[in-house]
Each structure stands twice: as structure tokens, then as C-alpha cells.
Amino acid sequence: MYNPEVFILSNRKELSIKHKKLVEALSCDVKIFAKLDEAIFAIKNTEPEIIIISDTINDILSDFIRKIRVLTYNYRPVIIAISKSDAIDDKLNALEAGADDFLDESIQSKEFSARINAHIRRYLENSTNPITNFIDNKITIKALKRNIKNGDKKAVMLINISGINFYKEIYGEIAYEKVLQTLGAIINSTMQKEDTAGHYSNKEFLLITQFAKAEKIAKFLTFAFDSVLEKFYSEFDYKNNFMLYSSESIQEKKIPLMKLSVAIIEITDDKFENEKQALSLLFNVLKLCKTSKNSCYMIDRPKLYGKVSNISPKNRVMIMEEDSALNCLLEVTLKMQGLKTKVCSDYKNFKDEFINFEPDILILDYGNEHKKQGLTALNQIKEQLNIKTPKIIFSTTIQDKKNILSMGADLYLPKPYDINILLDWVKKLL
């Protein structure tokens, strides 16, 4: 739950304390300022949602409201003027200067609370995502800023739905919104009153909670999301674990199904100077989830150091193509890019040469339309050979896209193709 921040600017101590208690009862964080310079400094740095200004301040009420409006042009808080005067000119001056409401000091406590609550509700409703009912990016970042500034020992969780943009293009807006609504409901079921959840972007959420329960929440979120994933896909897509995006006439890469990635960091007294440092660390932790095919979470822990053996670069490309002219062209082109290549033109020798070379990428031809040697070779790689599987580019003149991708190919490349397109995909897959 997000607690709005309210500033009360007044020189009348007893009345400001009374108002503070009434506003705090509405689950708001309240601060009282008697000095205007301190109030202006705090407004710049904290960006409160509501500013209550009494005419007891050491300035003309309407003039000071104008100053605050100029100072807060980029986020526009609710400004409420309070005065002991009930003259119509004083009310009009305050409202024309930029106040959203004008209250008499003699207002009853119940009405005062109701009016403030109405402004809070309207402010939060205007800052709420209509699909998930979570607060938007600006309010979410503001909540993170406040936790860092206050030194609260909390966990910050960045929740990302990878693949949802492709899903939106393939399945449409309604299905996309259903995914967000479902995830929003799952996140909301884990929250307690002191937790805050909001959007960082259309496909990312920030959740601020206690560090002790962050991992438990992450486990539940990833489990629950994977449990409902089947409902969002067609039977073919979910069974084969990928989506098809383009038409039959062009090359096509398999689009993975959506997965949930969660990064968790801890906010301590002096760990971060600002919210940008915290977000940078969150995205660095989130990158570790990319290697997982399923939903997963990562937690920023104390770092361990040690020697790591050198990892050989991925630059080995094998070509299985019966056309000798195309073989030669591919080999020369790939070698000019500094890649190690191995050419095989006979499916009978393919298995042994594949085992000996251990390629990072395999460019595999379909073969004869009836014998389908390429599909047989692909099946050997995926099921029979106990070695690391490379990325597979399947080139073909046969329109058998779904079957080819279902059997494990990473890219469907119909012939004839532009050699530069093939080269671009080799670089991407490496």
C-alpha cells in the first residue's frame, strides 16, 4: 500500500498538530513546517502529494501558492489553502493562484478528513494503471526514493515479464491485458499493508517489502505465473514452447514463451545514494535470469571472488549442405568474418563430423523432400547425441515451418536467401 506524503505549512502549532493527526489517520506520512525556506527545500527533494498551506505563514497566501505552483510544475501536487477568513475575495485569490481547495479554519474535523481523503483518492486514481490498478511509474519511483532517503531496511523487487511485447503483437491487446491483470492479481495476493507495488514500465513492476519475506514472495510469483501460463497460449504454442510470428515467405526465429524474472536487492542505511543506483543494480541482477528458460528469481548477495578459467569464444560454425557451390560460398563468407568453419556435404558422414567439430552453430539443409535427411539429422542432435546442442539454422525449400521449429531448430530460413541475412542471424545467435 502506498502512503501519500502530506506537508502542512503553518505557524499555528496547535492547529497544525490537530490537522496532522487527522491526516495521519488516513494512512499518510505527514510533516509540519513553520519556516518557509525549509518547506521549499523539502518540497523540491521529496515531492509530496498534498501541500496544506495556512494563511499564518510569513507571506501572502495567494503569492506563496503561485510560487509553489511554479516550483512543482513537473509533478503538480494538490494544494489546499486554509484560512481564518471566509471572505469571498480571499477564496477566489487563493483558487486563482493555483489552490485546488479552500478550507475555513473552523471546519469540523470529520469534514476536514473527508475533503483531504477525497483529494488523496482522486490523486491516486489519476496515477493508477487502469489494467492492474497499481500505481504508475512516477509514484513508484517516488516511493523508492523515499525508502532510500529514509534508510529503511527493505527489499526492492524488480519483476519483469520477458516476451510479453511479442505476445501482444501475436495474440492481441485483449490477451495482453489479461496477462497483466492476472500477474497483478498474483502480486497483490502476496502483499501486506506495509508493502508497496507499482509499475516501472508496461512489462515491469517494482515491489517494496521486507527483505526477510522477499525470497518467499519471489518463489510464489514464479511458481504461480508458470502454473497459469498454459491458459494464455494456443495448444500448439504451449506444447512446443515457442510462438510463430512471421509469414511463410520469410525467415523466422522461434519466439520463446513468456517467463517471469525477478531481481531482489536490499536497501540499507548507506548502500545507495539515490534511486538510480538501486535500479542499476536491479537490472544487473535481472540479467542473470536471461539464461533460464523458465521463470526464475535472483537475489543480490555478498560477492565471492576467485579465479575463473578462460572461456573459449563461440565462433565455430558447421555447414551441412549437399550443394557444393553453396557450400563454398558459405564457407568463404563465414571465414572472412573470422569464424571457424566445417563443411559437410554428405549426410552419411554428418554424425561423426558433428561430434568431432562440436559447433556453436549448425547450418542444416532439409535434404530430399521425401527422405528428409535434415530432419533425421536434427533428431539425432536433439535426442541421440550426448553433447552440447548448438544453435541450429535450418535452411529449406520445403514449407514445413511448424514441424522444423517444433523439432528443435532455432531459425527457419527458406531458400533462396540473401547471404547477408544468414550472416546477420549467425552473429545474433552467437
Side-chain angles (χ1 to χ4, degrees):
M1 179 180 177
Y2 179 72
N3 296 328
E5 190 148 26
V6 179
F7 283 3
I8 298 176
L9 282 57
S10 174
N11 278 330
R12 191 166 297 176
K13 187 175 180 180
E14 291 182 0
L15 188 61
S16 58
I17 291 175
K18 173 188 174 184
H19 289 161
K20 180 182 179 182
K21 290 180 179 179
L22 292 173
V23 177
E24 283 179 336
L26 302 174
S27 299
C28 296
D29 298 326
V30 186
K31 293 180 181 177
I32 298 174
F33 295 91
K35 297 181 180 180
L36 297 185
D37 55 343
E38 292 179 358
I40 290 173
F41 179 81
I43 290 170
K44 286 181 179 179
N45 289 277
T46 308
E47 298 183 357
E49 280 73 30
I50 295 181
I51 304 173
I52 301 173
I53 307 174
S54 168
D55 64 353
T56 60
I57 59 173
N58 297 324
D59 200 345
I60 298 174
L61 181 60
S62 58
D63 290 346
F64 188 74
I65 290 173
R66 286 191 181 91
K67 292 178 185 177
I68 297 300
R69 273 290 171 233
V70 173
L71 186 66
T72 60
Y73 72 94
N74 59 333
Y75 76 97
R76 202 190 185 288
V78 176
I79 296 178
I80 300 173
I82 294 184
S83 175
K84 56 183 173 296
S85 171
D86 59 354
I88 187 65
D89 287 342
D90 291 336
K91 293 181 180 180
L92 292 177
N93 288 337
L95 294 173
E96 289 174 0
D100 297 284
D101 202 353
F102 187 97
L103 304 180
D104 194 306
E105 281 188 358
S106 60
I107 187 173
Q108 293 187 1
S109 297
K110 288 184 178 180
E111 184 181 353
F112 177 85
S113 296
R115 283 178 175 269
I116 299 298
N117 193 41
H119 285 294
I120 292 170
R121 184 176 64 251
R122 190 175 300 111
Y123 185 92
L124 292 179
E125 284 174 354
N126 291 334
S127 303
T128 298
N129 185 290
I131 299 173
T132 61
N133 291 323
F134 285 160
I135 54 178
D136 64 15
N137 171 273
K138 290 184 178 180
I139 305 294
T140 305
I141 298 301
K142 195 184 294 186
L144 179 59
K145 279 184 184 179
R146 290 176 184 170
N147 276 274
I148 293 173
K149 182 181 178 182
N150 297 335
D152 299 335
K153 291 188 176 182
K154 294 284 186 73
V156 183
M157 303 172 64
L158 177 62
I159 304 165
N160 171 277
I161 318 172
S162 60
I164 193 170
N165 291 335
F166 281 114
Y167 179 86
K168 181 180 179 181
E169 291 188 42
I170 295 170
Y171 281 85
E173 187 76 27
I174 296 176
Y176 162 79
E177 291 182 358
K178 197 67 178 177
V179 173
L180 290 181
Q181 288 173 349
T182 302
L183 180 58
I186 293 172
I187 294 173
N188 195 52
S189 69
T190 68
M191 292 177 58
Q192 296 181 351
K193 188 176 181 180
E194 66 272 13
D195 298 334
T196 302
H199 282 267
Y200 179 75
S201 70
N202 289 335
K203 65 172 185 176
E204 291 160 334
F205 300 85
L206 280 179
L207 176 58
I208 303 173
T209 185
Q210 298 298 323
F211 190 78
K213 63 180 183 179
E215 185 171 2
K216 184 178 179 181
I217 291 175
K219 282 183 179 179
F220 174 76
L221 292 179
T222 52
F223 167 78
F225 187 79
D226 284 347
S227 298
V228 300
L229 194 61
E230 183 178 2
K231 297 180 180 179
F232 302 126
Y233 289 97
S234 67
E235 184 179 353
F236 175 85
D237 287 354
Y238 186 77
K239 179 181 177 181
N240 291 283
N241 205 35
F242 66 84
M243 295 181 288
L244 296 178
Y245 178 63
S246 60
S247 66
E248 294 283 348
S249 60
I250 63 174
Q251 72 279 359
E252 181 166 3
K253 183 178 182 292
K254 293 190 295 188
I255 306 298
L257 302 187
M258 292 180 292
K259 71 171 187 177
L260 200 68
S261 301
V262 183
I264 305 171
I265 64 171
E266 184 179 17
I267 297 176
T268 55
D269 292 337
D270 55 356
K271 189 171 184 178
F272 304 106
E273 293 182 4
N274 52 53
E275 78 284 356
K276 292 180 180 178
Q277 291 182 353
L279 289 169
S280 177
L281 179 56
L282 276 169
F283 279 102
N284 285 334
V285 175
L286 193 67
K287 288 177 182 177
L288 300 175
C289 295
K290 285 187 176 181
T291 56
S292 174
K293 294 182 179 180
N294 300 318
S295 298
C296 67
Y297 65 91
M298 291 287 175
I299 305 175
D300 179 49
R301 306 261 190 211
K303 298 168 182 59
L304 302 175
Y305 297 92
K307 293 183 179 180
V308 180
S309 58
N310 293 328
I311 300 175
S312 59
K314 293 184 177 182
N315 62 354
R316 304 167 71 86
V317 181
M318 184 173 178
I319 305 161
M320 177 58 245
E321 174 64 60
E322 290 184 310
D323 187 328
S324 57
L326 184 54
N327 257 342
C328 182
L329 176 61
L330 291 175
E331 182 180 17
V332 172
T333 303
L334 293 171
K335 281 186 175 179
M336 288 176 64
Q337 301 299 317
L339 301 172
K340 293 182 180 180
T341 61
K342 174 69 176 177
V343 174
C344 183
S345 58
D346 189 346
Y347 287 101
K348 294 179 180 179
N349 301 324
F350 167 75
K351 181 177 178 180
D352 293 335
E353 294 192 21
F354 179 88
I355 293 173
N356 292 332
F357 188 65
E358 294 186 1
D360 300 302
I361 286 186
L362 171 64
I363 302 172
L364 182 61
D365 179 62
Y366 191 94
N368 183 277
E369 182 177 358
H370 301 290
K371 294 183 179 180
K372 303 179 181 180
Q373 301 98 316
L375 290 179
T376 302
L378 181 58
N379 187 58
Q380 286 180 337
I381 294 170
K382 290 293 182 179
E383 296 182 3
Q384 298 177 19
L385 302 183
N386 188 24
I387 59 174
K388 184 180 178 183
T389 304
K391 295 291 184 181
I392 298 171
I393 299 175
F394 208 103
S395 65
T396 177
T397 57
I398 311 301
Q399 297 295 336
D400 194 13
K401 176 167 56 177
K402 287 188 175 182
N403 193 30
I404 290 169
L405 293 175
S406 298
M407 290 187 68
D410 296 283
L411 176 68
Y412 167 84
L413 187 63
K415 291 181 177 179
Y417 53 78
D418 186 330
I419 193 69
N420 291 318
I421 291 177
L422 173 67
L423 188 58
D424 288 342
W425 276 108
V426 168
K427 293 177 179 177
K428 289 177 183 178
L429 293 175
L430 282 175

